[in-house]
Amino acid sequence: MSGTASAAQQRTYGLGELKRARYAVATVFCVHGAVTGSFATRVPWIQDHAGVGAGQLGLALAFPAIGASVAMPLAGSVSHRFGARTALRGLLALWTLALVLPSLAPNLLTLCVALFVYGATAGMSDVAMNALGVEIETRLDKSIMSGLHGMWSAGALLGSAGGTLAAHVGADARLHHLLAAAVLTVAGFAACRWVLDLRPAEDEEAPPRFTLPPKSALLIGAVGFCAVFAEGASLDWSAVYLRDVLGTSAGLAAACTTAFTLTMAIARIAGDAVVDRFGAVRTVRISGVGATVGALLVVAAPNAAVAMAGFGLLGLGIAVVVPLAFAAAGRSGPNPSQAIAGVATITYTSGLVAPSAIGTIADATSLVVSFGVVTVLACGLVVFAGVLRGADRTPSGAAGLLSPEGAADPAPRP
């Protein structure tokens, strides 16, 4: 990063400040995930309220990813203009408040608009919080990104639990989401008080508002694509696979999806220690082998127990890949937020196309063949793990989205 600053401005954050910032960003990730969990559990209510059929609902549910893809490149310019702390506080508040919009939609058109805004605010806040996470990880010289994404998964589980309870008692989703949005907005606003107040140097040029992902983000994003495709396929189709292919009960099939989600959350929370021990590339290669074996078990499973073990192993194998992809993107060039936005766009796209792609392949062939495709993508994690080498921290460097208090970061850039 260019620019000079006075000696007073060139201070670095102390260990205590960095630890507080880490916990604050972890809370932000949890809040972000809780919004997603709160929304997902009330989709049936929203469908009934808007009066849309299954096909129309499928169309509407594409709009969050579209909104995120359009808006994510804006996150860098927002952080540059307002500073990382203020930008994250504002973007996170917009995201938590956007939770209310889908339940208010009375028809398909308004539902699509509401979900576009919902996705746009989700994507921008996602980029801002990941960029801050990468910066804190580099300054601490300790892996934290996997744990942060584990906190997102934990938040999603908490939001889902609240939504399940609300649905069980027959609560109106408009009231449920209004209360959830109020609580999560306050929690997010409070947490943002302790994140790093990073600002650009005075002579630093603002990033472009809209730009294509940099080349450095494309290969990294491709690895993330493989992991998110496997995740989306497993989350949306694991229960169907057990029911239709292996003839299990609906309860056992649903338990498989829940177990897969829990496995991913636990693996992400524990993943930082593994990354610190073995490094990003070796971790992803080993994880990719595990994911491939898990997918093969699913394809070849003679019974539900083997298939559930396969889905669990698949979840363990892909859990740390996306956090490491964001970390690698944040250190891949002079414009970290742009690279993170590029990787996020690719992974969001993967999450959008995976469920429909699995269904399309299954209609043409079978669900077993669909998960054969997942197996091939899992192999891709082993083959292309090397592109995540940038996720390994350098003791003398910093990811450097912005510098503290408007100063140039005194540490050299990788």
Side-chain angles (χ1 to χ4, degrees):
M1 181 176 290
S2 61
T4 58
S6 67
Q9 287 178 314
Q10 287 192 358
R11 74 170 180 88
T12 56
Y13 285 100
L15 182 59
E17 292 175 292
L18 290 173
K19 286 183 176 180
R20 283 195 298 272
R22 174 186 179 179
Y23 298 139
V25 173
T27 303
V28 168
F29 271 76
C30 186
V31 167
H32 197 283
V35 176
T36 301
S38 298
F39 166 75
T41 52
R42 304 313 304 271
V43 168
W45 190 98
I46 292 170
Q47 178 184 9
D48 292 341
H49 180 70
V52 298
Q56 292 176 319
L57 178 64
L59 171 65
L61 290 176
F63 276 81
I66 295 171
S69 298
V70 170
M72 280 188 291
L74 289 170
S77 60
V78 172
S79 293
H80 184 276
R81 179 173 181 180
F82 297 103
R85 179 186 292 170
T86 300
L88 180 60
R89 181 180 285 150
L91 293 173
L92 186 65
L94 289 174
W95 162 236
T96 54
L97 293 173
L99 172 62
V100 178
L101 298 179
S103 61
L104 300 177
N107 52 51
L108 177 62
L109 177 61
T110 54
L111 180 59
C112 289
V113 173
L115 289 174
F116 181 90
V117 175
Y118 173 87
T121 55
M124 288 193 292
S125 55
D126 190 296
V127 171
M129 70 188 192
N130 273 285
L132 271 169
V134 172
E135 183 71 25
I136 294 167
E137 178 179 85
T138 304
R139 292 170 183 267
L140 282 172
D141 191 29
K142 180 180 181 181
S143 181
I144 67 169
M145 289 301 293
S146 181
L148 292 180
H149 282 254
M151 288 299 295
W152 190 95
S153 298
L157 287 170
L158 288 173
S160 297
T164 300
L165 178 61
H168 180 71
V169 300
D172 189 304
R174 291 168 294 188
L175 177 60
H176 164 216
H177 284 169
L178 180 63
L179 292 174
V183 171
L184 294 173
T185 300
V186 171
F189 195 91
C192 286
R193 177 183 178 184
W194 304 107
V195 302
L196 301 185
D197 190 18
L198 307 177
R199 297 180 182 276
E202 291 181 3
D203 61 347
E204 181 182 346
E205 294 184 4
R209 293 184 178 180
F210 290 100
T211 184
L212 294 174
K215 292 181 180 179
S216 61
L218 295 180
L219 283 176
I220 296 171
V223 176
F225 183 97
C226 293
V228 173
F229 191 100
E231 179 181 354
S234 300
L235 283 173
D236 286 8
W237 287 96
S238 58
V240 178
Y241 192 96
L242 262 70
R243 184 194 65 191
D244 292 354
V245 177
L246 299 172
T248 64
S249 66
L252 185 60
C256 179
T257 303
T258 302
F260 175 84
T261 304
L262 283 170
T263 298
M264 284 201 64
I266 293 170
R268 282 178 170 171
I269 291 172
D272 289 320
V274 179
V275 174
D276 279 333
R277 175 67 179 83
F278 296 104
V281 174
R282 188 183 298 178
T283 298
V284 172
R285 281 187 177 142
I286 295 172
S287 298
V289 171
T292 303
V293 172
L296 285 172
L297 284 176
V298 170
V299 171
N303 53 55
V306 174
M308 291 181 74
F311 279 116
L313 191 55
L314 184 58
L316 284 173
I318 64 176
V320 300
V321 177
V322 172
L324 290 177
F326 279 117
R331 301 186 182 94
S332 64
N335 204 327
S337 60
Q338 182 183 344
I340 289 173
V343 170
T345 300
I346 294 169
T347 56
Y348 268 70
T349 301
S350 180
L352 171 64
V353 303
S356 58
I358 292 294
T360 300
I361 296 170
D363 284 340
T365 55
S366 69
L367 268 177
V368 174
V369 174
S370 294
F371 276 89
V373 174
V374 172
T375 305
V376 173
L377 292 176
C379 288
L381 300 178
V382 182
V383 176
F384 298 108
V387 304
L388 300 184
R389 196 173 306 279
D392 289 321
R393 301 168 315 286
T394 55
S396 61
L401 170 65
L402 297 165
S403 298
E405 299 181 350
D409 192 329
R413 304 293 176 192

